[in-house]
Structures are given as C-alpha cells and as structure tokens.
Amino acid sequence: MLIETESTPNPSTLKFLPGRTVMEAGTRDFATPEEAEVSSLADAIFGLGDVTGVFFGRDFVSVTAAPGTAWSDLKPDVLAILLDHFSAAMPLFKPARAGFSVPSDEPALSDDPADADIVAQIRELIDTRVRPAVANDGGDIVYRGFDKGKVFLQLQGACAGCPSSSATLKNGIEQLLKYYVPEVTEVRAV
C-alpha cells in the first residue's frame, strides 16, 4: 500500500492520501487528544506526542504538528500508523460510545427564517465552490450561521491555524460571497 503526502498552505500540516475512502460522509476534526479517543486512528496519531490536530476528510487525513516539531522526524511515524490502520482495514471509529456522533453541518447560530433564501445561496456557494478547494488543501470550512450580513464559518483541518487563513477568508471567500450574495457584508471565523 502506498500513502501519498502533500504539503498544505499551513506549514504545520501535512495531508496524507491513503488511496481509499477515509470518511464515507462528512468530515471529522480532532483538536485535542481527548476528542481523538473516539477513533483508534486519531488516538494513535495523537499518541506520538508531537501532534496538535488530526482531520479526516473524504479521502485524506491531515495531521498538524506541534510548534517546533520537524516533519522529517514525525512523518515516518505518522505514515507507519496510517499504513498499519488502512492495511488492516480497521474501523475509523471505536465501537459506539454514549454521547459520540460525527458532528453535523448544522449551524451554530439559529438562522432567521426570513433569511432562508440568503442562507441557501451562501450554503450552495460554500458547498460547491469553497469546500472542494479547501479540501484540496487538507481542510474544511463549515457554515455556522448568518446574522445581519455576517457569515460565520468554522475552519477545520489544515485551515485551522493556517497563516494564510485570514487572507483566504477576507480576500477569497468573503469577496466570493459578497459578489454572489449582496446581503453579505462580512465573513468571520468561529
């Protein structure tokens, strides 16, 4: 089995492509070792000690190294864990545990029903134009709400903590949304 790696715009994050589906639907972001306990794969990667984030996409796993960690030292260990996991066809998540679920794309804010058409346009643009591009960089951006012209998005995977994420939000996503949805005045990360 060959696992390819790709750099991401975030120098702390590498994208690992196992050549097979990782998540059948949705994505999953682990920002702490405690969150990773629901997944034997994420738990093992965090167990290396020099990892601050693990993200599962449709066909990739992004891993974020702790500050000061050299990828030349960490990468072979991550590859070994991924090879063992995918070669053995192990499940991505541990057997059902009380209170565990893959997070949904439900908004964090309650959208005003009067804004339903605007929200539908925003979601469509994010799903068709933004998320595929961001997935190529090893991350995800999830819609979390719309309130008085402001769009709230959550950055995940390689996008979280990326030095260029502010520029991507303001110069890319915000401009795109303002162009197609004039009611949008600002985009903020949550």
Side-chain angles (χ1 to χ4, degrees), residues 12-171:
S12 298
T13 304
L14 275 182
K15 181 177 172 183
F16 296 85
L17 298 122
R20 59 185 65 185
T21 301
V22 175
M23 291 278 295
E24 291 291 334
T27 61
R28 182 65 199 252
D29 191 35
F30 302 97
T32 66
E34 293 75 27
E35 290 176 7
E37 290 175 356
V38 298
S39 166
S40 56
L41 178 58
D43 196 28
I45 294 170
F46 266 103
L48 295 172
D50 293 328
V51 172
T52 60
V54 176
F55 179 80
F56 297 154
R58 188 182 63 75
D59 61 352
F60 66 90
V61 176
S62 291
V63 178
T64 303
T69 301
W71 267 111
S72 58
D73 297 333
L74 184 59
K75 184 177 172 181
D77 294 333
V78 173
L79 282 169
I81 289 170
L82 292 171
L83 279 168
D84 288 348
H85 179 86
F86 288 108
S87 294
M90 296 169 60
L92 196 56
F93 296 100
K94 294 177 182 176
R97 293 169 46 158
F100 168 73
S101 67
V102 174
S104 71
D105 285 346
E106 290 303 311
L109 303 173
S110 295
D111 292 325
D112 185 340
D115 295 330
D117 289 340
I118 296 167
V119 168
Q121 291 174 1
I122 293 167
R123 284 179 168 268
E124 172 79 14
L125 287 166
I126 290 168
D127 288 343
T128 60
R129 300 229 178 161
V130 177
R131 290 180 88 183
V134 171
N136 285 335
D137 287 338
D140 197 10
I141 292 185
V142 180
Y143 173 84
R144 290 296 181 221
F146 176 76
D147 184 41
K148 298 176 185 142
K150 296 178 186 77
V151 177
F152 297 91
L153 302 174
Q154 181 181 8
L155 304 164
Q156 298 179 332
C159 297
C162 177
S164 62
S165 64
S166 294
T168 299
L169 276 176
K170 293 296 177 186
N171 299 331

